[in-house]
Amino acid sequence: MNRRFLAALGGAVLALSLAACSGEGAGGGSSTGDKKPSSLTIAVSMPTQTSERWIADGNAVKQKLQAKGYKVDLQYANDDIPTQSQQVDQMITQGADVLIIAAIDGTALSSQLQAAADAKIPVISYDRLIRDSKNVDFYVSFDNYKVGVAQGTALLVGLGLLNKDGSKGSAKGPFNIELFAGSLDDNNTRYFFNGAMDTLKPFLTDGTLVVKSRQTKLEQVATLRWQQETAQKRMEDLLTSSYNDGTKVNGVLSPYDGISRGIITALQNAGYGPAANPLPPVTGQDAEIASVKLINDGVQNSTVFKDTRLLAEQAVTAAEAFLQDKEPTANDTETYDNGVKVVPSYLLPVETVYKDNIKQALIDSGYYTEAQVASGQVK
Ligand code: BGC
């Protein structure tokens, strides 16, 4: 046998083994298009069950996929990065056909995503963009910058500086406010904070709003893992350090309902609440039932409603497109650069909920029942 023949033989063996890998390996790769849904598994990795929104997301995605006949492997990672990495590793080795991932830390899954790409498993980044990897195939989320604008606007409305229709309100200020942001490892955090700060900026510049603690940088106001207790502690510290001279906090920018409840508890423990010393407006996000009740009771000012049913629907639509060897339809191909590439995205709109539109936004749409809003519990 001459050298050329051997080289050709080697090439053929390599080609054959590559073909075998891409055809029947984990994920089944390229040929899912002609398989029955019941033979396909969609793996869904969610960050935590401590926040109601992710439970709602997980349930909605699972239900919609199962209704179409797919098998679903839904896992929660307890807000622990190694747990999520391990769960995703396992989903890949167990042969998932599509991965839907809401990351805890947006930068921590690069090697898992490489393994997914090697096994030809499409990856859909769910609500939180996975960063620093070329192997993110699609992103489904809300317009996260607009969430921040909505939060900043709600704070201005709560203070009476703006009316709900956007016109100038009758209040004059100056008002003392404090700022809170989400977890720095979540790509959304910057979008929320920038949207809110761009909205508040003119009022900060002309002195209508004053951040009395002077903590205005994202790094100073961030809340690791979006934890309620961490936010409560920071609000307590702010009250001690910056408001022990009798001045009052007049408003608080909060990026998420759990954080809002921590802030409100700290304020209540410090004597805010009675008519003579009212609670300042505190914003929020996610329309978690406990916060919707607080809004209904006049305790929390507002929240930003993101309909998890619609997000789940988009994730399912994208997953099905990949399974049929098609590209999902994006409505934004510019905004979400993950550090390596711009990820094609489908972004959904959001709605601010105050006490007076709870019924229209949340009850009439079937998201909650009146009884749930009144009790503050989903069960
Ligand atoms: C989500 C928010 C949520 C937050 C905390 C963010 O990535 O977009 O809806 O409030 O995480 O869970």
Side-chain angles (χ1 to χ4, degrees):
M1 281 196 276
N2 66 24
R3 270 229 201 104
R4 261 222 210 119
F5 178 75
L6 276 180
L9 187 68
V13 170
L14 184 67
L16 272 178
S17 53
L18 280 178
C21 281
S22 65
E24 283 308 322
S30 50
S31 58
T32 49
D34 41 26
K35 288 188 182 165
K36 282 210 195 86
S38 58
S39 68
L40 298 168
T41 301
I42 294 152
V44 185
S45 169
M46 289 279 154
T48 177
Q49 277 171 303
T50 56
S51 152
E52 213 183 84
R53 91 145 272 197
W54 299 112
I55 299 175
D57 284 280
N59 288 344
V61 174
K62 185 170 179 175
Q63 213 178 29
K64 287 177 200 298
L65 287 169
Q66 282 179 338
K68 288 173 178 277
Y70 296 105
K71 284 192 264 180
V72 182
D73 177 10
L74 168 63
Q75 308 274 347
Y76 285 90
N78 210 9
D79 253 345
D80 182 53
I81 299 164
T83 303
Q84 185 163 45
S85 306
Q86 201 191 354
Q87 287 175 341
V88 174
D89 275 335
Q90 222 169 55
M91 290 165 168
I92 296 167
T93 51
Q94 286 175 354
D97 293 284
V98 176
L99 281 170
I100 298 177
I101 305 174
I104 298 165
D105 178 329
T107 63
L109 290 168
S110 298
S111 68
Q112 281 70 29
L113 262 49
Q114 188 55 52
D118 294 346
K120 294 199 162 47
I121 306 171
V123 173
I124 299 168
S125 197
Y126 188 94
D127 195 53
R128 298 173 171 176
L129 185 63
I130 300 175
R131 295 192 53 85
D132 305 339
S133 167
K134 64 178 185 318
N135 303 312
V136 185
D137 299 295
F138 201 69
Y139 179 44
V140 292
S141 189
F142 295 86
D143 189 325
N144 293 304
Y145 180 82
K146 281 202 188 135
V147 171
V149 171
Q151 290 167 338
T153 305
L155 182 59
L156 295 172
V157 169
L159 289 167
L161 291 167
L162 278 188
N163 298 314
K164 284 182 189 149
D165 64 6
S167 61
K168 199 169 176 305
S170 54
K172 296 272 175 291
F175 293 117
N176 293 322
I177 62 163
E178 292 299 334
L179 310 170
F180 282 71
S183 197
L184 286 176
D185 52 11
D186 182 340
N187 190 61
N188 288 344
T189 291
R190 282 180 176 74
Y191 286 84
F192 300 153
F193 191 64
N194 292 344
M197 289 308 273
D198 288 351
T199 308
L200 299 179
K201 200 169 217 153
F203 298 86
L204 289 163
T205 307
D206 73 8
T208 308
L209 296 180
V210 178
V211 180
K212 190 139 188 288
S213 68
R214 296 174 185 250
Q215 297 184 14
T216 55
K217 292 207 177 63
L218 176 57
E219 290 68 23
Q220 294 174 304
V221 305
T223 314
L224 183 65
R225 299 281 119 75
W226 303 86
Q227 294 260 320
Q228 176 165 342
E229 302 73 28
T230 309
Q232 180 177 335
K233 171 82 175 54
R234 177 163 175 263
M235 190 69 233
E236 285 164 2
D237 291 347
L238 289 171
L239 289 168
T240 315
S241 61
S242 306
Y243 296 88
N244 57 1
D245 57 0
T247 48
K248 296 288 171 203
V249 185
N250 303 122
V252 186
L253 175 76
S254 166
Y256 154 60
D257 286 344
I259 289 179
S260 316
R261 296 195 294 277
I263 294 165
I264 289 169
T265 304
L267 289 164
Q268 287 172 328
N269 289 346
Y272 287 81
N277 184 19
L279 275 166
V282 178
T283 62
Q285 173 172 206
D286 289 341
E288 291 199 335
I289 193 66
S291 283
V292 175
K293 176 177 166 38
L294 291 180
I295 295 168
N296 203 32
D297 293 346
V299 176
Q300 184 173 321
N301 168 263
S302 55
T303 188
V304 178
F305 173 44
K306 309 197 321 193
D307 194 330
T308 50
R309 297 169 301 189
L310 301 182
L311 186 60
E313 190 73 56
Q314 279 309 320
V316 170
T317 304
E320 277 211 298
F322 282 125
L323 290 172
Q324 291 159 7
D325 303 325
K326 294 186 208 136
E327 287 300 315
T329 309
N331 66 0
D332 185 310
T333 50
E334 284 171 11
T335 310
Y336 285 95
D337 187 333
N338 78 346
V340 177
K341 71 177 207 188
V342 177
V343 183
S345 312
Y346 196 96
L347 305 180
L348 291 157
V350 299
E351 181 174 7
T352 307
V353 175
Y354 302 96
K355 184 178 167 120
D356 62 7
N357 64 335
I358 289 177
K359 183 170 181 317
Q360 166 260 312
L362 300 175
I363 298 175
D364 294 351
S365 72
Y367 202 71
Y368 293 132
T369 63
E370 221 169 313
Q372 288 171 327
V373 172
S375 70
Q377 286 175 358
V378 268
K379 296 247 162 64

